[in-house]
Amino acid sequence: MPQFQRHFATILVLAFASALSSPQANAQEAKRPWSANPELVKKLELRRVGVNYTESKVPDYTLPNPLTANDGAAVAIAATWNASRRAELMKLFRDQVYGRRPKQEYSIQFEKTAEITDAFDGAATGRSMNAIISIADRSYSFPFVLFIPNNARGPVPAVIHINNRYFIPLDTAASKHDPFWPARTLIERGYATASFHTSNVDPDKRDGYAGGVRSFFANGQPPKDNAWRSLSAWGWAASRVLDHIESLDTIDGARVAVVGHSRGGKTSLWAACEDPRFAIAYSNNSGCGGAALSRRAYGETVRRITTNFPHWFCKPFSEYADREAELPVDQHEVIALIAPRGVYVASSDQDLWADPKGEYASLTAAAPVFQLLGKESITNPEMPALNQPRVVGQTGYHIRSGGHGLGDPDWNWFLDFADSLLK
Ligand code: GTR
């Protein structure tokens, strides 16, 4: 290349580089729809051989239409959805994905084991509680912790947190900020809040059955192939906490959100499908079997999840390993089953295992059902930019910078959304 051309090329490159780092370029970057960082994709593919993180390798797929009934008829009015189509989808998810809950009658009691009346400098009353479930002379109990604002002017909305990591005892929750369950923040924002640990309900391990509530209901008999599994059992427990909350006149039982992260986020979505009393479901980094579309087979797949966590899903789900296209449902229909109530999905940009794009796509694919039920929801096929929450009507979404986890920024964006629906 002649020297003057080389100079010119250098000048061009420098001009381009400076344009890229200019404030305008940064502002543009901040508005650009999120997409996975190619360097991260490369790194992750090297780390986990056989896992797809490359967008162009996502198989072509057609999602099942939530508004096409099993007999092929179009569901054109809300009355048809409410009278039959919703039940058809519930049956498919129960039989093929999460399992059926038991039908036995049981009684439930709530026992207060400790109380702090001046938690958070007097802002809240905190209680240690036990939910005691009885069938004949047998009983099963699990603990939860509850905080209620002290000086509210009337019944307050509440957030039930499914803790898939550890149990946070009352004293700890009252004295130490934990971004996984920031009880004080919730109180300061005007919410009552309760939290329980999943393993206290159904141990989170493949051989944990005997020690959990599922075995209690089955009186020790092994689970049938389509019986409920851990995710459904944990969601059931969230409903039992709601039973208690509904009985209190300080909390408005019609304004309760259920929140979970990862396996807890899969649980919060399904909990809200099974229990129409939940006003909002928030799923954080829930991925495969949660918000993410199974048919994308991006990051964690049906094969991986049902192999590694056989106690989460009922047996038939594992039969769709590498045959996702044959699933009679996909995860956008879990979101559709929560409509017209609120759904908020959150991803994080380093957590490609959970397939952020597939989580967002399933939220938008549920839009026709929100619309049928007379509600607005996110329809924009382009993902929002990083750290730019998007809220439309009954749905919200954000993708946060950082890794797999639930923390203060997630809570703050979620609570802004909850405020818009519950306050
Ligand atoms: C992972 C699992 C995910 C997600 C996560 C979690 O190992 O593959 O589906 O649920 O655990 O719960 O943190």
Side-chain angles (χ1 to χ4, degrees), residues 235-364:
W236 178 89
S239 289
R240 303 296 66 82
V241 174
L242 178 55
D243 292 343
H244 176 62
I245 279 181
E246 270 194 323
S247 74
L248 303 172
D249 51 19
T250 45
I251 304 179
D252 180 355
R255 290 186 288 148
V256 178
V258 59
V259 166
H261 162 68
S262 203
R263 64 199 74 187
K266 309 180 207 296
T267 303
S268 63
L269 291 174
W270 182 239
C273 293
E274 283 279 14
D275 191 338
R277 294 175 301 168
F278 286 115
I280 298 179
Y282 171 66
S283 99
N284 193 76
N285 304 177
S286 62
C288 183
L293 295 171
S294 301
R295 277 170 174 74
R296 280 175 47 85
Y298 182 106
E300 189 171 33
T301 57
V302 173
R303 173 175 295 287
R304 297 246 167 193
I305 203 166
T306 55
T307 307
N308 293 336
F309 307 99
H311 56 294
W312 288 0
F313 301 93
C314 67
K315 184 88 190 319
F317 193 51
S318 64
E319 285 152 22
Y320 295 99
D322 308 322
R323 305 171 37 221
E324 286 88 351
E326 290 167 54
L327 268 164
V329 289
D330 211 320
Q331 297 305 113
H332 61 305
E333 291 170 309
V334 164
I335 293 168
L337 284 166
I338 304 170
R341 294 166 289 148
V343 182
Y344 194 105
V345 173
S347 311
S348 58
D349 74 333
Q350 316 270 302
D351 187 10
L352 301 187
W353 182 243
D355 187 12
K357 225 177 156 140
E359 297 187 304
Y360 182 76
S362 83
L363 190 60
T364 58

Side-chain angles (χ1 to χ4, degrees), residues 4 49 56 114 234 263 279 329 378 383 410:
F4 76 90
V49 179
S56 60
W234 301 333
R263 64 199 74 187
V329 289
I378 297 176
M383 287 187 73
D410 300 304

